[in-house]
Amino acid sequence: MTKKRILVIDDEPSITRSLKLNLEANGGCEVRTVNNPCHALEMARKFKPDLVLLDVMMPEMDGGEVAAQLRANALLKDVPLIFLTAIVSNKETGGHEMISGANAFLAKPVDWHELKACLAEHLGSELQPIGTPGSASVESDKPGVWLD
Amino acid sequence: MVLPRLIKNTMIHTFNLLADLGTRSRICLAANVGMMNAALEWIARSSRKFPRLAAVCGLVLVIPVGVVDYQTGLEVSVSLLYLIPVCLSTWFVGRAVGVFVSCASASAWLAADVLGRSVVGHALVPLWNAVTLAATFVVVAFLLAALKRKNETLEAAVLDRTSTLRSEVAERILAEQHLQHANAELRAAREDLQRSLTELQDSHAELQNTQLQLIEAAKSESIGRLAAGVAHEVKNPLMTLSLGTDYFLNHGPGTSDEAALLQDMKEAVRRGSSIINLLLDFAKPRPVQFQSEDLNALIENSLSLARHQLTACRISVVREFQNNLPLVPLDRNRVEHVLVNLLINAAHAMRDGGTLTVRAHVHPGPTALQSGSGTATVEIEDTGPGIPSEHLTKVFEPFYTTKPPGQGTGLGLAIVRKIMEIHGGSVALTNRTGGGARATLTFNLQTKQES
């Protein structure tokens, strides 16, 4: 099985750390974290993630700009983007609708089960902890091809 | 004064005559002169009040005297010419002149007697009579003319005075009209003033209202900014806590106590987060989604959500739901929030047990509502201590709470009011006469139907 590659972009190290820990240990993913959004594009190009988790409000560059950079890249333009936002139902949330290319928004504080369900939806496969039986049998994100 | 002299003159005159005449003639003359004198006296007396009547009576007396004179062969003109001037002057001028003329004639007779011993048959008698008559007419004419002049002067004076009075009256009328006009103007001015005062009071009230609204808006805005800042600053650490807790829960907590602790931590994160969400909701509500809902079912659902609190406080619930309520256009989640909030407040007011009455009905009755007008009302009554009157006006203000610190945000009822306002409805809190409080929610059945 290939591990799902997930890029986490958030200016708070505690958040990227806790996400990385959960995604790796409980989701069997390969995770890279970026705390400075200015380095996000460079990391994404090198890492080629299957999905990006992205904070909206960051000091150097906000999530919308990062998303625009990623979408502008030919390799990364179809990668699902999930935004993490601290301010739901506020004025800034209205601005989120302007962010193009967002596949989903998750309101902080995100619960693991919530995150797992959302990732599964956008990755097309369930996340399984490492070493869980059955995880190896999930071979591809395109099971239809195999069945045909 | 006049009368004795007259009588004296007449007597002298009479005696003179008597000395010359025969016995029959003397008696006739005496009667004649006596009658004349009696008539004169009567005229003099009564002419004070009725000068013209006296004059007429005098003339009437002259006729029999004249007849007697004629029969006795006396000069007729003696009596007539003597009496006629007296009567005429009495008629036209008055008693005083009549007496004067009488005295003049009598004196003339006396003078004639003294001069000629007897005037009867004297050649000068007719002449004298004519002169006396003429003189009398001249006097009368003169007096009449004087009277006429006096009358004219008087009339002119009266006319003058009348016209003066008339013009004065006209002036007064004019002045009165001016006064009335000024009065009306004054009244109009007062009404204007009253009107402007009312307008001023209205606009003052409006201004105060606007000011209150502005303060509310400013408060809301600052709460919004505060909420956004707080949300950002608090939710990030909460997320770290949440994911850390999740990690340890998934990685097998050591003991059951540790597992319980981790669950408590998750619950703490959830509570913290919901408080922040409440704040965000209050600052800027999400768009409302109206759908026609069954109010009774919604209340039932809210009661089951609050059941834990109600049973914990040993509260019995009485339901008074009107059957066949029409569907009410509302945002289900928000109204549920309102109902749960009010139910929990009621439960908190009856910590030692009590009765909760929930009532739902429509005005003016379901049949009239087919036309789409009317209101639906939900009442939640408790048997607690009620709300102190000093709190009643403030309980809907944001951050106003009577609960001990840490137990209430002071946002609950403020949010309730906001949600009801969004629905075009209202919420009111009152104290019941029998004790306890009553919350009344009113929903408009038609306003939001289209949205």
Side-chain angles (χ1 to χ4, degrees), chain A:
Chain A
M1 121 183 210
T2 49
K3 284 184 173 180
K4 293 293 179 189
R5 285 192 300 276
I6 295 175
L7 178 62
V8 179
I9 306 164
D10 197 311
D11 60 313
E12 288 239 6
S14 71
I15 286 179
T16 53
R17 197 181 301 127
S18 61
L19 276 170
K20 182 179 160 76
L21 208 59
N22 272 283
L23 286 166
E24 284 181 347
N26 299 331
C29 303
E30 190 182 341
V31 180
R32 290 281 188 284
T33 62
V34 175
N35 293 121
N36 186 342
C38 301
H39 304 145
L41 182 66
E42 189 192 335
M43 176 60 89
R45 268 211 304 260
K46 275 194 270 180
F47 182 53
K48 298 184 185 65
D50 294 312
L51 187 143
V52 177
L53 281 172
L54 185 56
D55 187 24
V56 174
M57 280 181 74
M58 290 181 286
E60 291 89 355
M61 191 192 283
D62 76 22
E65 286 174 70
V66 175
Q69 283 185 351
L70 297 180
R71 287 285 178 247
N73 190 291
L75 284 173
L76 300 166
K77 66 181 187 329
D78 295 323
V79 177
L81 286 177
I82 296 174
F83 280 94
L84 300 169
T85 174
I87 306 162
V88 179
S89 75
N90 195 8
K91 212 160 66 181
E92 280 98 333
T93 327
H96 292 358
E97 286 141 25
M98 312 292 274
I99 299 172
S100 58
N103 294 73
F105 284 96
L106 284 175
K108 288 178 178 182
V110 180
D111 181 77
W112 167 245
H113 300 288
E114 203 184 332
L115 181 66
K116 202 169 113 177
C118 184
L119 290 179
E121 188 192 333
H122 291 281
L123 287 169
S125 65
E126 286 292 319
L127 298 179
Q128 294 290 333
I130 305 162
T132 309
S135 66
S137 64
V138 182
E139 285 288 323
S140 168
D141 51 348
K142 293 172 190 162
V145 178
W146 286 84
L147 287 169
D148 283 347

Side-chain angles (χ1 to χ4, degrees), chain B residues 291-299 325-328 330 332:
Chain B
Q291 278 185 321
S292 293
E293 300 279 356
D294 179 351
L295 202 54
N296 288 350
L298 194 62
I299 297 169
L325 279 186
L327 295 180
V328 182
L330 48 84
R332 185 183 177 83

